[in-house]
Amino acid sequence: MKEDCSQCGIHFEREEGYWVGALIINTTVTFGTFLVIFVSGILITWPDVPWTTVGVVTIVANGLIPVAFYPISKSLWVALEMGWHPLEPREVEAARRRSNLRLET
Ligand SMILES: [Zn+2]
């Protein structure tokens, strides 16, 4: 991932530990999807639940979903976080300097 936006120059990681929010979103989506797959797999096939198949499908999903959702979780986090914590004047100025530098080169 680029450190700064190539268009406006804002720096994505606004403070140390910034991406913990994206990690929480990714973990929540992964666990929610696991629950939906697991519970619906049981409900659809009840009473003869194919435990091996349900187990394999949920394990594969738990391996793939966090990787596939990783970039989306970061975009979501940036959008959410900027909604309740808009850019501060020093960040706007730094972004302006970065984008001006980019335009000059
Ligand atoms: Zn931008």
Side-chain angles (χ1 to χ4, degrees):
M1 179 175 168
K2 290 182 176 180
E3 289 186 6
D4 310 312
C5 176
S6 57
Q7 297 298 307
C8 64
I10 67 159
H11 188 66
F12 292 118
E13 189 172 358
R14 298 178 69 186
E15 59 196 5
E16 200 172 309
Y18 182 75
W19 297 119
V20 170
L23 182 69
I24 291 169
I25 291 173
N26 203 357
T27 304
T28 303
V29 167
T30 301
F31 185 71
T33 308
F34 157 76
L35 260 182
V36 168
I37 292 171
F38 187 71
V39 171
S40 60
I42 291 171
L43 292 178
I44 290 168
T45 58
W46 193 262
D48 300 315
V49 181
W51 291 109
T52 304
T53 305
V54 170
V56 168
V57 169
T58 51
I59 287 170
V60 168
N62 277 350
L64 294 179
I65 290 168
V67 176
F69 197 70
Y70 179 71
I72 300 166
S73 69
K74 283 191 155 184
S75 299
L76 274 174
W77 175 245
V78 168
L80 285 171
E81 201 271 341
M82 279 200 189
W84 67 69
H85 181 204
L87 291 177
E88 293 171 13
R90 65 175 171 78
E91 292 174 293
V92 173
E93 184 52 40
R96 188 175 294 130
R97 266 186 271 117
R98 275 191 290 271
S99 64
N100 282 343
L101 280 174
R102 215 164 280 121
L103 290 174
E104 289 166 9
T105 55

